[in-house]
Amino acid sequence: MTINIYNSLMRSKEPFETLEPGRVKMYVCGPTVYDSCHIGHARSVIVFDVIYRYLKESGYDVTYVRNFTDIDDKIINRSNELGVSPEALAQKYIDEFHHDMDMLNVLRPTIEPRATEHIDHIIRIIEILMTKGYAYASGGDVFFSVDLFNGYGKLSGRKLEDMAAGARVEVDQRKKNPFDFVLWKASKPNEPFWDSPWGKGRPGWHIECSAMSEDYLGASFDIHGGGKDLIFPHHENEIAQSEAAFGNTFVKYWIHNGFVNINHEKMSKSLGNFLMIKDIVKAYHPEAVRLFLLSHHYRSPVDFTDLAIKNVAAGLDKIYALLERAEKYLGSLPEVNSDYNKEVTPPVKNFWFLFCNALNDDFNTALGIGILFDSVRNINRLLDISDKSEQADDIRTRQMIYNECLSIIKMANILGLLAESPGTYFRQKKEKVIDKESIDTQMIETLIQDRKDARKAKDFKKADEIRDRLKEMNIEIEDRPEGTIWKVLS
């Protein structure tokens, strides 16, 4: 099956054909480490984590590079405010980023380079650009001359003449063109610096990514990704300097994810609506956050509201509840690398096949998640039939349920879900809510027993009233052959 990718450069979907057969080289812009990560960062990281997982599942040998920008004006300014070194500040937030992403079940990339580890390589590329006439030194800085690169604007669709006509750009007399961008910045007093042919200084932001990607993936590679906010100027400038330096097509496929809004408003510091990952996971299970961010197509905006994520969290409960039920029926759940039972005729709907079709269509996780829930409903239906059947241990039914559960586990693995056992998930969730809301477990057990007694006495009105009371307390009950169980609703 062919994977089709929406290429931001061509503004259309294209069949995915790698530069080297069977091998994918992918670079994604990582964080500038001067503060905690917010949900917008999480969306980008999770989107490309799923792409990474799916490409590997599809049989590709993937080299995935995601960088850290660990030297930047924001880092320097923040370190001065806090009275710590830029190195210490960057390390603090790199460690916090890893902690956040581990909680969100994000796989580590193949390589996680830091900009400060590639200063020599950055200087070499700038020297190439100067030798070719694309860059010039002025006042201790080095700038890239956008006028000399014919393809400037091809990713963003912007034209220099149109930008100049309507621009409000601060005049910098050192620049030949107001849109020329900095490759090397002369150091100011008390700032970190490195020696260079143009004096003491540090790299500009854009050149860092060109150097790191070329170092690990070569002058041309398959996929470059990041948020839509990076299209201009960051990715546009990366293309200009990389193609000018090396004379090759820089990237074949450009992938950009959409923004996260908060309660229908753009997330911004001025509105005070930045949602930090470390705060969100205190209120919601990390897998609910993943599921929410993947429940919309990655190119579309997603609006974060309490109601939206509560609905998604309830859906996550249903997946785990199904697996808990299936585990009791089967004895144990299949592992993600298990084989399907080939003795069973494939069902009319092959959910794993449908899921792969969805992801082959520009990594459509929204459609894929819908298929995942279709599979959950199908297994519950099979279990209901089994519960009512006189042949509850029918081998064929057992094998079908096993195969369907394996499909769900495989789908969830691509989405980065179901990392816990159902028992652990519900136990931890119950403990967290009980601790947070001081739920009286003894009272709940007493009410459940009262309901059981009422049903035994055929006082179904009282039994229903008790169920409604429990529901008002955010408690869901489920009657099973072995007894009644209760769960805290999301």
Side-chain angles (χ1 to χ4, degrees):
M1 295 182 287
T2 301
I3 297 174
N4 291 289
I5 296 177
Y6 183 88
N7 189 349
S8 300
L9 181 65
M10 307 308 294
R11 298 167 184 78
S12 63
K13 289 183 187 178
E14 299 178 347
F16 183 52
E17 297 177 356
T18 57
L19 296 173
E20 296 179 35
R23 186 178 182 193
V24 176
K25 298 177 181 180
M26 180 168 74
Y27 184 92
V28 175
C29 290
T32 299
V33 282
Y34 72 100
D35 201 350
S36 300
C37 287
H38 54 68
I39 194 169
H41 296 127
R43 188 183 196 194
S44 182
V45 173
I46 288 170
V47 162
F48 289 100
D49 180 59
V50 170
I51 291 173
Y52 178 40
R53 289 168 181 262
Y54 189 65
L55 290 173
K56 292 201 298 180
E57 173 66 29
S58 300
Y60 290 102
D61 176 15
V62 185
T63 301
Y64 175 21
V65 180
R66 187 186 64 221
N67 75 294
F68 290 112
T69 296
D70 61 341
I71 186 65
D72 176 87
D73 288 342
K74 293 177 181 177
I75 294 172
I76 293 170
N77 293 338
R78 187 73 186 278
S79 68
N80 289 335
E81 290 173 10
L82 299 177
V84 298
S85 69
E87 295 85 359
L89 183 79
Q91 187 60 55
K92 167 184 167 61
Y93 287 114
I94 287 172
D95 292 341
E96 188 175 301
F97 175 86
H98 280 143
H99 180 263
D100 289 346
M101 295 309 149
D102 288 347
M103 280 197 300
L104 293 170
N105 196 27
V106 173
L107 300 177
R108 297 286 175 93
T110 316
I111 306 162
E112 288 184 293
R114 305 184 188 197
T116 56
E117 298 170 341
H118 294 79
I119 301 297
D120 290 344
H121 194 58
I122 289 168
I123 290 172
R124 182 179 69 83
I125 296 176
I126 296 173
E127 288 178 321
I128 292 172
L129 289 169
M130 293 192 75
T131 300
K132 291 187 171 185
Y134 287 102
Y136 59 94
S138 179
D141 293 347
V142 179
F143 297 96
F144 183 90
S145 184
V146 294
D147 285 328
L148 299 180
F149 183 71
N150 291 330
Y152 195 78
K154 62 183 177 181
L155 178 64
S156 63
R158 303 188 184 200
K159 296 181 180 179
L160 281 172
E161 55 269 27
D162 294 339
M163 290 193 293
R168 295 180 180 177
V169 181
E170 184 178 348
V171 176
D172 186 339
Q173 298 298 336
R174 298 170 302 161
K175 294 183 180 182
K176 296 178 180 179
N177 182 308
F179 294 100
D180 290 350
F181 57 89
V182 68
L183 300 170
W184 186 262
K185 303 180 74 168
S187 63
K188 298 175 183 177
N190 301 317
E191 283 189 350
F193 66 83
W194 288 263
D195 290 323
S196 80
W198 317 284
K200 298 181 184 302
R202 55 189 170 86
W205 175 34
H206 313 301
I207 195 67
E208 294 173 349
C209 285
S210 285
M212 287 184 277
S213 62
E214 196 267 339
D215 196 20
Y216 296 105
L217 303 176
S220 297
F221 53 95
D222 300 291
I223 295 173
H224 195 319
K228 284 186 177 180
D229 56 320
L230 298 180
I231 292 175
F232 188 88
H234 186 50
H235 289 164
E236 194 72 75
N237 292 349
E238 277 191 73
I239 291 173
Q241 64 203 8
S242 294
E243 296 190 355
F246 303 114
N248 299 317
T249 298
F250 178 41
V251 172
K252 191 171 182 182
Y253 302 93
W254 287 89
I255 300 177
H256 294 97
N257 64 273
F259 300 124
V260 178
N261 297 320
I262 309 297
N263 293 314
H264 313 294
E265 291 185 311
K266 182 179 179 180
M267 189 165 53
S268 70
K269 290 187 176 179
S270 62
L271 294 173
N273 64 352
F274 263 58
L275 284 179
M276 299 301 179
I277 298 167
K278 62 184 179 182
D279 296 325
I280 296 171
V281 295
K282 291 177 184 176
Y284 302 102
H285 193 284
E287 289 189 8
V289 178
R290 272 193 81 109
L291 187 59
F292 169 76
L293 292 173
L294 295 171
S295 63
H296 295 69
H297 192 280
Y298 75 86
R299 286 189 283 117
S300 302
V302 57
D303 191 45
F304 186 99
T305 66
D306 285 334
L307 178 60
I309 195 166
K310 282 180 179 178
N311 288 337
V312 169
L316 182 65
D317 285 354
K318 289 179 182 178
I319 302 173
Y320 270 108
L322 174 276
L323 290 184
E324 184 179 51
R325 187 182 181 193
E327 187 175 33
K328 284 184 170 59
Y329 177 79
L330 295 172
S332 63
L333 293 170
E335 299 288 335
V336 68
N337 294 319
S338 302
D339 291 326
Y340 287 101
N341 190 315
K342 296 179 181 178
E343 296 177 9
V344 179
T345 304
V348 175
K349 276 193 174 182
N350 185 325
F351 291 103
W352 171 244
F353 176 81
L354 294 174
F355 178 83
C356 291
N357 272 349
L359 266 71
N360 285 338
D361 184 13
D362 194 30
F363 309 110
N364 192 339
T365 57
L367 179 57
I369 288 169
I371 293 164
L372 171 64
F373 279 105
D374 285 345
S375 184
V376 167
R377 285 187 285 271
N378 186 57
I379 300 175
N380 272 319
R381 181 184 61 81
L382 291 172
L383 288 168
D384 289 343
I385 292 171
S386 178
D387 288 344
K388 296 175 183 177
S389 172
E390 295 180 359
Q391 298 178 340
D393 288 327
D394 177 68
I395 294 175
R396 175 177 166 76
T397 301
R398 182 175 294 272
Q399 290 173 338
M400 286 177 65
I401 291 172
Y402 175 91
N403 282 355
E404 295 291 355
C405 284
L406 178 54
S407 285
I408 282 181
I409 289 167
K410 286 170 68 68
M411 287 185 262
N413 184 60
I414 300 299
L415 298 170
L417 305 174
L418 306 184
E420 300 173 351
S421 69
T424 299
Y425 173 82
F426 285 116
R427 183 176 65 254
Q428 290 180 349
K429 182 174 181 180
K430 187 182 291 185
E431 289 170 354
K432 184 175 181 180
V433 176
I434 289 172
D435 180 64
K436 181 181 177 182
E437 301 182 5
S438 300
I439 290 176
D440 188 339
T441 57
Q442 184 58 51
M443 182 178 68
I444 293 170
E445 296 291 351
T446 300
L447 286 170
I448 289 173
Q449 183 60 48
D450 289 347
R451 177 176 173 272
K452 181 179 178 182
D453 294 341
R455 294 181 71 188
K456 189 174 181 180
K458 299 188 183 302
D459 188 349
F460 298 114
K461 181 181 179 183
K462 181 179 179 181
D464 289 343
E465 288 173 350
I466 293 171
R467 176 188 283 274
D468 291 341
R469 183 180 173 187
L470 287 166
K471 192 171 183 179
E472 289 173 0
M473 295 166 60
N474 232 29
I475 303 299
E476 181 180 66
I477 59 175
E478 182 181 345
D479 297 315
R480 294 183 178 179
E482 67 271 19
T484 301
I485 65 167
W486 62 275
K487 297 172 184 174
V488 182
L489 291 170
S490 299

PDB file of all heavy atoms in Angstrom, residues 434-457:
ATOM      1  N   ILE A 434      -9.815   9.374  43.786  1.00  0.00           N
ATOM      2  CA  ILE A 434     -10.150   9.254  45.203  1.00  0.00           C
ATOM      3  C   ILE A 434      -9.300  10.210  46.022  1.00  0.00           C
ATOM      4  O   ILE A 434      -9.772  10.904  46.918  1.00  0.00           O
ATOM      5  CB  ILE A 434      -9.965   7.802  45.689  1.00  0.00           C
ATOM      6  CG1 ILE A 434     -11.072   6.920  45.092  1.00  0.00           C
ATOM      7  CG2 ILE A 434      -9.985   7.730  47.212  1.00  0.00           C
ATOM      8  CD1 ILE A 434     -10.876   5.450  45.339  1.00  0.00           C
ATOM      9  N   ASP A 435      -8.021  10.263  45.684  1.00  0.00           N
ATOM     10  CA  ASP A 435      -7.112  11.164  46.397  1.00  0.00           C
ATOM     11  C   ASP A 435      -7.485  12.619  46.145  1.00  0.00           C
ATOM     12  O   ASP A 435      -7.426  13.461  47.046  1.00  0.00           O
ATOM     13  CB  ASP A 435      -5.674  10.902  45.938  1.00  0.00           C
ATOM     14  CG  ASP A 435      -4.682  11.805  46.634  1.00  0.00           C
ATOM     15  OD1 ASP A 435      -4.539  11.706  47.850  1.00  0.00           O
ATOM     16  OD2 ASP A 435      -4.055  12.632  45.941  1.00  0.00           O
ATOM     17  N   LYS A 436      -7.887  12.919  44.910  1.00  0.00           N
ATOM     18  CA  LYS A 436      -8.187  14.303  44.539  1.00  0.00           C
ATOM     19  C   LYS A 436      -9.510  14.769  45.117  1.00  0.00           C
ATOM     20  O   LYS A 436      -9.651  15.905  45.584  1.00  0.00           O
ATOM     21  CB  LYS A 436      -8.214  14.413  43.008  1.00  0.00           C
ATOM     22  CG  LYS A 436      -8.496  15.817  42.496  1.00  0.00           C
ATOM     23  CD  LYS A 436      -8.515  15.816  40.977  1.00  0.00           C
ATOM     24  CE  LYS A 436      -8.865  17.200  40.428  1.00  0.00           C
ATOM     25  NZ  LYS A 436      -8.940  17.205  38.951  1.00  0.00           N
ATOM     26  N   GLU A 437     -10.519  13.909  45.091  1.00  0.00           N
ATOM     27  CA  GLU A 437     -11.858  14.325  45.455  1.00  0.00           C
ATOM     28  C   GLU A 437     -12.345  13.704  46.770  1.00  0.00           C
ATOM     29  O   GLU A 437     -13.496  13.905  47.167  1.00  0.00           O
ATOM     30  CB  GLU A 437     -12.828  13.978  44.318  1.00  0.00           C
ATOM     31  CG  GLU A 437     -12.452  14.644  42.992  1.00  0.00           C
ATOM     32  CD  GLU A 437     -13.448  14.338  41.900  1.00  0.00           C
ATOM     33  OE1 GLU A 437     -14.468  13.693  42.182  1.00  0.00           O
ATOM     34  OE2 GLU A 437     -13.196  14.753  40.751  1.00  0.00           O
ATOM     35  N   SER A 438     -11.487  12.934  47.431  1.00  0.00           N
ATOM     36  CA  SER A 438     -11.842  12.318  48.709  1.00  0.00           C
ATOM     37  C   SER A 438     -13.134  11.506  48.593  1.00  0.00           C
ATOM     38  O   SER A 438     -14.075  11.665  49.378  1.00  0.00           O
ATOM     39  CB  SER A 438     -11.972  13.389  49.804  1.00  0.00           C
ATOM     40  OG  SER A 438     -10.759  14.077  49.964  1.00  0.00           O
ATOM     41  N   ILE A 439     -13.197  10.654  47.592  1.00  0.00           N
ATOM     42  CA  ILE A 439     -14.378   9.817  47.393  1.00  0.00           C
ATOM     43  C   ILE A 439     -14.463   8.791  48.521  1.00  0.00           C
ATOM     44  O   ILE A 439     -13.464   8.147  48.874  1.00  0.00           O
ATOM     45  CB  ILE A 439     -14.313   9.121  46.024  1.00  0.00           C
ATOM     46  CG1 ILE A 439     -14.500  10.165  44.919  1.00  0.00           C
ATOM     47  CG2 ILE A 439     -15.363   8.033  45.898  1.00  0.00           C
ATOM     48  CD1 ILE A 439     -14.362   9.607  43.528  1.00  0.00           C
ATOM     49  N   ASP A 440     -15.658   8.616  49.043  1.00  0.00           N
ATOM     50  CA  ASP A 440     -15.901   7.670  50.138  1.00  0.00           C
ATOM     51  C   ASP A 440     -16.150   6.291  49.528  1.00  0.00           C
ATOM     52  O   ASP A 440     -17.268   5.964  49.121  1.00  0.00           O
ATOM     53  CB  ASP A 440     -17.096   8.140  50.955  1.00  0.00           C
ATOM     54  CG  ASP A 440     -17.280   7.315  52.223  1.00  0.00           C
ATOM     55  OD1 ASP A 440     -16.765   6.182  52.264  1.00  0.00           O
ATOM     56  OD2 ASP A 440     -17.934   7.811  53.155  1.00  0.00           O
ATOM     57  N   THR A 441     -15.103   5.492  49.442  1.00  0.00           N
ATOM     58  CA  THR A 441     -15.233   4.178  48.807  1.00  0.00           C
ATOM     59  C   THR A 441     -16.177   3.266  49.585  1.00  0.00           C
ATOM     60  O   THR A 441     -16.897   2.464  48.986  1.00  0.00           O
ATOM     61  CB  THR A 441     -13.855   3.510  48.682  1.00  0.00           C
ATOM     62  OG1 THR A 441     -13.250   3.408  49.975  1.00  0.00           O
ATOM     63  CG2 THR A 441     -12.946   4.313  47.782  1.00  0.00           C
ATOM     64  N   GLN A 442     -16.185   3.386  50.925  1.00  0.00           N
ATOM     65  CA  GLN A 442     -17.062   2.542  51.729  1.00  0.00           C
ATOM     66  C   GLN A 442     -18.526   2.846  51.435  1.00  0.00           C
ATOM     67  O   GLN A 442     -19.362   1.938  51.334  1.00  0.00           O
ATOM     68  CB  GLN A 442     -16.768   2.760  53.216  1.00  0.00           C
ATOM     69  CG  GLN A 442     -17.573   1.837  54.143  1.00  0.00           C
ATOM     70  CD  GLN A 442     -17.321   0.364  53.848  1.00  0.00           C
ATOM     71  OE1 GLN A 442     -16.177  -0.074  53.776  1.00  0.00           O
ATOM     72  NE2 GLN A 442     -18.385  -0.410  53.652  1.00  0.00           N
ATOM     73  N   MET A 443     -18.832   4.149  51.240  1.00  0.00           N
ATOM     74  CA  MET A 443     -20.204   4.533  50.928  1.00  0.00           C
ATOM     75  C   MET A 443     -20.613   3.973  49.569  1.00  0.00           C
ATOM     76  O   MET A 443     -21.751   3.507  49.395  1.00  0.00           O
ATOM     77  CB  MET A 443     -20.340   6.054  50.928  1.00  0.00           C
ATOM     78  CG  MET A 443     -21.766   6.529  50.646  1.00  0.00           C
ATOM     79  SD  MET A 443     -21.961   8.315  50.702  1.00  0.00           S
ATOM     80  CE  MET A 443     -21.026   8.814  49.275  1.00  0.00           C
ATOM     81  N   ILE A 444     -19.695   4.005  48.610  1.00  0.00           N
ATOM     82  CA  ILE A 444     -20.002   3.472  47.279  1.00  0.00           C
ATOM     83  C   ILE A 444     -20.287   1.976  47.355  1.00  0.00           C
ATOM     84  O   ILE A 444     -21.266   1.476  46.781  1.00  0.00           O
ATOM     85  CB  ILE A 444     -18.840   3.754  46.302  1.00  0.00           C
ATOM     86  CG1 ILE A 444     -18.730   5.271  46.057  1.00  0.00           C
ATOM     87  CG2 ILE A 444     -19.053   3.024  44.983  1.00  0.00           C
ATOM     88  CD1 ILE A 444     -17.489   5.673  45.308  1.00  0.00           C
ATOM     89  N   GLU A 445     -19.451   1.259  48.076  1.00  0.00           N
ATOM     90  CA  GLU A 445     -19.657  -0.187  48.212  1.00  0.00           C
ATOM     91  C   GLU A 445     -20.985  -0.482  48.907  1.00  0.00           C
ATOM     92  O   GLU A 445     -21.693  -1.443  48.552  1.00  0.00           O
ATOM     93  CB  GLU A 445     -18.501  -0.804  49.004  1.00  0.00           C
ATOM     94  CG  GLU A 445     -17.139  -0.703  48.321  1.00  0.00           C
ATOM     95  CD  GLU A 445     -17.020  -1.570  47.080  1.00  0.00           C
ATOM     96  OE1 GLU A 445     -17.927  -2.392  46.830  1.00  0.00           O
ATOM     97  OE2 GLU A 445     -16.018  -1.423  46.360  1.00  0.00           O
ATOM     98  N   THR A 446     -21.336   0.350  49.894  1.00  0.00           N
ATOM     99  CA  THR A 446     -22.608   0.165  50.602  1.00  0.00           C
ATOM    100  C   THR A 446     -23.789   0.395  49.669  1.00  0.00           C
ATOM    101  O   THR A 446     -24.768  -0.372  49.662  1.00  0.00           O
ATOM    102  CB  THR A 446     -22.692   1.131  51.797  1.00  0.00           C
ATOM    103  OG1 THR A 446     -21.614   0.857  52.689  1.00  0.00           O
ATOM    104  CG2 THR A 446     -24.015   0.982  52.539  1.00  0.00           C
ATOM    105  N   LEU A 447     -23.710   1.457  48.847  1.00  0.00           N
ATOM    106  CA  LEU A 447     -24.776   1.735  47.892  1.00  0.00           C
ATOM    107  C   LEU A 447     -24.918   0.608  46.875  1.00  0.00           C
ATOM    108  O   LEU A 447     -26.043   0.237  46.488  1.00  0.00           O
ATOM    109  CB  LEU A 447     -24.505   3.058  47.173  1.00  0.00           C
ATOM    110  CG  LEU A 447     -24.730   4.329  48.008  1.00  0.00           C
ATOM    111  CD1 LEU A 447     -24.198   5.546  47.255  1.00  0.00           C
ATOM    112  CD2 LEU A 447     -26.214   4.509  48.332  1.00  0.00           C
ATOM    113  N   ILE A 448     -23.803   0.053  46.431  1.00  0.00           N
ATOM    114  CA  ILE A 448     -23.850  -1.059  45.473  1.00  0.00           C
ATOM    115  C   ILE A 448     -24.516  -2.281  46.103  1.00  0.00           C
ATOM    116  O   ILE A 448     -25.323  -2.978  45.468  1.00  0.00           O
ATOM    117  CB  ILE A 448     -22.431  -1.387  44.960  1.00  0.00           C
ATOM    118  CG1 ILE A 448     -21.945  -0.261  44.024  1.00  0.00           C
ATOM    119  CG2 ILE A 448     -22.404  -2.727  44.234  1.00  0.00           C
ATOM    120  CD1 ILE A 448     -20.501  -0.405  43.593  1.00  0.00           C
ATOM    121  N   GLN A 449     -24.201  -2.537  47.378  1.00  0.00           N
ATOM    122  CA  GLN A 449     -24.837  -3.657  48.072  1.00  0.00           C
ATOM    123  C   GLN A 449     -26.330  -3.399  48.259  1.00  0.00           C
ATOM    124  O   GLN A 449     -27.162  -4.306  48.089  1.00  0.00           O
ATOM    125  CB  GLN A 449     -24.169  -3.882  49.431  1.00  0.00           C
ATOM    126  CG  GLN A 449     -24.713  -5.080  50.196  1.00  0.00           C
ATOM    127  CD  GLN A 449     -24.530  -6.396  49.433  1.00  0.00           C
ATOM    128  OE1 GLN A 449     -23.446  -6.675  48.933  1.00  0.00           O
ATOM    129  NE2 GLN A 449     -25.588  -7.198  49.332  1.00  0.00           N
ATOM    130  N   ASP A 450     -26.698  -2.136  48.587  1.00  0.00           N
ATOM    131  CA  ASP A 450     -28.118  -1.792  48.728  1.00  0.00           C
ATOM    132  C   ASP A 450     -28.856  -2.006  47.409  1.00  0.00           C
ATOM    133  O   ASP A 450     -30.009  -2.475  47.401  1.00  0.00           O
ATOM    134  CB  ASP A 450     -28.261  -0.328  49.161  1.00  0.00           C
ATOM    135  CG  ASP A 450     -27.812  -0.098  50.600  1.00  0.00           C
ATOM    136  OD1 ASP A 450     -27.637  -1.095  51.329  1.00  0.00           O
ATOM    137  OD2 ASP A 450     -27.629   1.072  50.976  1.00  0.00           O
ATOM    138  N   ARG A 451     -28.213  -1.649  46.322  1.00  0.00           N
ATOM    139  CA  ARG A 451     -28.833  -1.855  45.008  1.00  0.00           C
ATOM    140  C   ARG A 451     -29.011  -3.340  44.723  1.00  0.00           C
ATOM    141  O   ARG A 451     -30.049  -3.767  44.192  1.00  0.00           O
ATOM    142  CB  ARG A 451     -27.979  -1.198  43.921  1.00  0.00           C
ATOM    143  CG  ARG A 451     -28.490  -1.417  42.502  1.00  0.00           C
ATOM    144  CD  ARG A 451     -27.653  -0.648  41.488  1.00  0.00           C
ATOM    145  NE  ARG A 451     -28.021  -0.974  40.126  1.00  0.00           N
ATOM    146  CZ  ARG A 451     -27.502  -1.985  39.429  1.00  0.00           C
ATOM    147  NH1 ARG A 451     -26.570  -2.769  39.982  1.00  0.00           N
ATOM    148  NH2 ARG A 451     -27.909  -2.224  38.196  1.00  0.00           N
ATOM    149  N   LYS A 452     -27.992  -4.117  45.089  1.00  0.00           N
ATOM    150  CA  LYS A 452     -28.070  -5.563  44.881  1.00  0.00           C
ATOM    151  C   LYS A 452     -29.234  -6.149  45.683  1.00  0.00           C
ATOM    152  O   LYS A 452     -30.001  -6.989  45.180  1.00  0.00           O
ATOM    153  CB  LYS A 452     -26.745  -6.208  45.308  1.00  0.00           C
ATOM    154  CG  LYS A 452     -26.700  -7.709  45.125  1.00  0.00           C
ATOM    155  CD  LYS A 452     -25.344  -8.260  45.548  1.00  0.00           C
ATOM    156  CE  LYS A 452     -25.312  -9.783  45.406  1.00  0.00           C
ATOM    157  NZ  LYS A 452     -24.005 -10.331  45.871  1.00  0.00           N
ATOM    158  N   ASP A 453     -29.387  -5.694  46.919  1.00  0.00           N
ATOM    159  CA  ASP A 453     -30.483  -6.185  47.766  1.00  0.00           C
ATOM    160  C   ASP A 453     -31.826  -5.769  47.187  1.00  0.00           C
ATOM    161  O   ASP A 453     -32.802  -6.555  47.223  1.00  0.00           O
ATOM    162  CB  ASP A 453     -30.333  -5.629  49.192  1.00  0.00           C
ATOM    163  CG  ASP A 453     -29.093  -6.177  49.901  1.00  0.00           C
ATOM    164  OD1 ASP A 453     -28.570  -7.212  49.452  1.00  0.00           O
ATOM    165  OD2 ASP A 453     -28.650  -5.545  50.882  1.00  0.00           O
ATOM    166  N   ALA A 454     -31.883  -4.521  46.659  1.00  0.00           N
ATOM    167  CA  ALA A 454     -33.141  -4.044  46.084  1.00  0.00           C
ATOM    168  C   ALA A 454     -33.525  -4.866  44.859  1.00  0.00           C
ATOM    169  O   ALA A 454     -34.712  -5.211  44.672  1.00  0.00           O
ATOM    170  CB  ALA A 454     -33.013  -2.567  45.700  1.00  0.00           C
ATOM    171  N   ARG A 455     -32.591  -5.194  44.043  1.00  0.00           N
ATOM    172  CA  ARG A 455     -32.873  -5.997  42.837  1.00  0.00           C
ATOM    173  C   ARG A 455     -33.322  -7.404  43.247  1.00  0.00           C
ATOM    174  O   ARG A 455     -34.219  -7.986  42.624  1.00  0.00           O
ATOM    175  CB  ARG A 455     -31.635  -6.065  41.942  1.00  0.00           C
ATOM    176  CG  ARG A 455     -31.246  -4.711  41.347  1.00  0.00           C
ATOM    177  CD  ARG A 455     -30.033  -4.832  40.456  1.00  0.00           C
ATOM    178  NE  ARG A 455     -30.350  -5.532  39.228  1.00  0.00           N
ATOM    179  CZ  ARG A 455     -29.431  -5.925  38.329  1.00  0.00           C
ATOM    180  NH1 ARG A 455     -28.156  -5.682  38.568  1.00  0.00           N
ATOM    181  NH2 ARG A 455     -29.792  -6.530  37.228  1.00  0.00           N
ATOM    182  N   LYS A 456     -32.693  -7.929  44.289  1.00  0.00           N
ATOM    183  CA  LYS A 456     -33.051  -9.272  44.763  1.00  0.00           C
ATOM    184  C   LYS A 456     -34.488  -9.282  45.272  1.00  0.00           C
ATOM    185  O   LYS A 456     -35.224 -10.262  45.100  1.00  0.00           O
ATOM    186  CB  LYS A 456     -32.090  -9.700  45.876  1.00  0.00           C
ATOM    187  CG  LYS A 456     -32.239 -11.149  46.282  1.00  0.00           C
ATOM    188  CD  LYS A 456     -31.161 -11.548  47.289  1.00  0.00           C
ATOM    189  CE  LYS A 456     -31.288 -13.011  47.671  1.00  0.00           C
ATOM    190  NZ  LYS A 456     -30.239 -13.405  48.655  1.00  0.00           N
ATOM    191  N   ALA A 457     -34.892  -8.140  45.877  1.00  0.00           N
ATOM    192  CA  ALA A 457     -36.265  -8.007  46.381  1.00  0.00           C
ATOM    193  C   ALA A 457     -37.218  -7.536  45.298  1.00  0.00           C
ATOM    194  O   ALA A 457     -38.381  -7.235  45.582  1.00  0.00           O
ATOM    195  CB  ALA A 457     -36.272  -7.036  47.566  1.00  0.00           C
TER     196      ALA A 457
END
